[in-house]
Amino acid sequence: MASASQIQLSLDHCGQFHVGSITQESADAASQVLQENHETHHIFFNQSGFHNHIAHHILTIFALGASPSAIQKHYANNKSYQRPHQPVDNDVLEQLQSSDAFMKYLGQERYFHDYLLFFQSEIEKKGYEEVINEYMFKGDDRANAILVRMYAGFLHPLIHLGFGIEFHQPAIVAEALAQAAAHDAWIGSYLLQTEEAAQSSGQSSKSLVEILDQIRADPKLRNAAHWDDGNKIRDGILARAPDEMIKHASQWTVDVEDLELKTAEMTNAAVYFTGTAQHPPKQIKFDFYYMHCTNSSIFFSSFLHSRFIPPAQKARLLKFKGYLDLAMYASRHAPELLLDEIVNYGPKCALRHGEEICRPYDNNNNNNNGDDPRFRIKGGMWLKLGHMAPGHKKSVNYS
C-alpha cells in the first residue's frame, strides 16, 4: 500500500489519461524503480539545479503501457547521472518543526533530504491532503512560501505535485513539497504582486489569448529579455519591464464558479502559444520552456477534481499558472503566433488530454457555446498538434 515513504502503484490509479492494457507486472516494476529513486537520489542531478525527471518519466510511460523491461531500461538510463541524497542533518530536521526554522532553510538544495523526511513525517501523521492544505493553502507566510515555489524551476515542483496527486502517491507528494522548499522564491514577488493588482483593479477578466496579443503589441515588454540573460524571466522581464508584465497579467482573473471553464482556457492557451510559436520555413520546433507550460497544464484536471482542495485555492493555483504562462510567453520575445502552421499540418495522432478538457467549449462539437474566441485551438487542430509534437524532435541541418 502506498504511504508517505513507500511508493506502490495501483491499477486503480493509472493516471487520468492512460491506455487500457496496463499490467500488474508493470505497476510493480515502476513501483520498484520509483522507490529506489525516492530513497537514493537528490531532486537535482547537479548543483546548478537541473531536475531529476525520473518520477515524471516512469509514471508517464507506465500510464502509456510500458512493459516491465522498458521501465527498467529507461530507469537505468536516467539513474546513471543522478546525485545521491545529501546526508540528513538531524539538528536541522528537528528544527523544521518550528515555523521560523522552516523558513530559514528554504531555498537551499542541500536541505532537500531534510525537508523530504520532514514532509514524510507530517504526511504519516496527517495524510497528504491535510499536509498540502496546511503547507500550501493555509495563507500564512510559510504556506505562501511553499506555494509560490511550486512555480519556480519552470514549474517542476508543481508538475511533481501533480504526478503525486494523480497517481495517489503520498511519497511523491512529499518529494514535491521538499522540491519546492529547495527552490528559490524570486518568482513569488511577481505572482503575489500580480494577484494584488488584479484584486485592486476590480475589472472583469480578459481572456489569456487577448493578453498574449497585448504582450506581443507591447514593445518594451516584448524586448525586455536579452539573449545573454541567465534567466529570461528573472533577469529580463522582471528586471526591465516588471510593471508592464504585472499590468498585462493582472487582467486575467479566476472566479470559483468558473473553475472548469478557466482550466480549459488555460490549457488551450498554453497549447496555443506552444504550438504556434513557429518560424517558417524552418522545421517545426516546440520551444523547450513553452513546453513546460503545456506539460504542467495536464495536472490541473486533477487539481480541479480533488475534493480536498478548497475551491478558492483551486482558483489561486490556476490564477498563478496563468500569470506564469504569460511571463513565459513574454520571455521568448513574445513571438508571432502562427495558427496556420497547425491548420496546414498533416495529422497522425492527437494531444488527447487537451482535446478532452477543451471539447465542451469547441463549437465544432455542436454544443451551445458558440465560437468562443478564448479557445483558438479547436476541432482538428488537436490531431495536427499531436503529429507536430513527435515530428519536431527529428534532427535537422540548420546550415
Side-chain angles (χ1 to χ4, degrees), residues 36-47 52 79-87 109-110 112-113:
E36 180 179 318
N37 178 63
H38 179 77
E39 295 175 353
T40 307
H41 299 138
H42 199 285
I43 204 66
F44 301 136
F45 68 76
N46 62 25
Q47 292 185 328
N52 174 346
K79 79 171 185 177
S80 63
Y81 56 87
Q82 301 301 325
R83 293 166 63 204
H85 278 307
Q86 298 278 70
E109 60 88 19
R110 68 180 178 273
F112 166 75
H113 199 188

Side-chain angles (χ1 to χ4, degrees), residues 17 47 62 78 160 164 190 218 277 295 297 302 312 347 352 377 379 384-385:
F17 295 92
Q47 292 185 328
F62 165 68
N78 280 303
H160 211 94
Y190 162 65
D218 185 330
N295 293 345
S297 72
S302 292
R352 182 183 171 196
I377 303 298
K384 297 187 179 189
L385 276 161

Side-chain angles (χ1 to χ4, degrees), residues 2 7-10 12-18 22 34 55-56 58-64 128 160-170 172-173 299 302:
I7 296 170
Q8 184 59 61
L9 295 175
S10 164
D12 293 329
H13 302 293
C14 298
Q16 186 158 357
F17 295 92
H18 58 84
I22 299 173
L34 289 172
H56 308 177
I58 296 300
L59 287 169
T60 299
I61 64 173
F62 165 68
L64 294 175
Y128 74 85
H160 211 94
L161 180 71
F163 274 112
I165 292 174
E166 183 170 337
F167 288 85
H168 294 247
Q169 297 299 314
I172 292 178
V173 170
F299 300 104
S302 292

Side-chain angles (χ1 to χ4, degrees), residues 8-9 17 47 74 76 164 213 217 219 243 246 253 265 283 291 296 359 375 387:
Q8 184 59 61
L9 295 175
F17 295 92
Q47 292 185 328
H74 288 291
D213 292 342
D243 293 341
I246 291 170
T253 61
E265 181 192 346
Q283 181 180 344
M291 285 193 296
S296 57
R359 181 177 291 135
F375 295 82
H387 184 44

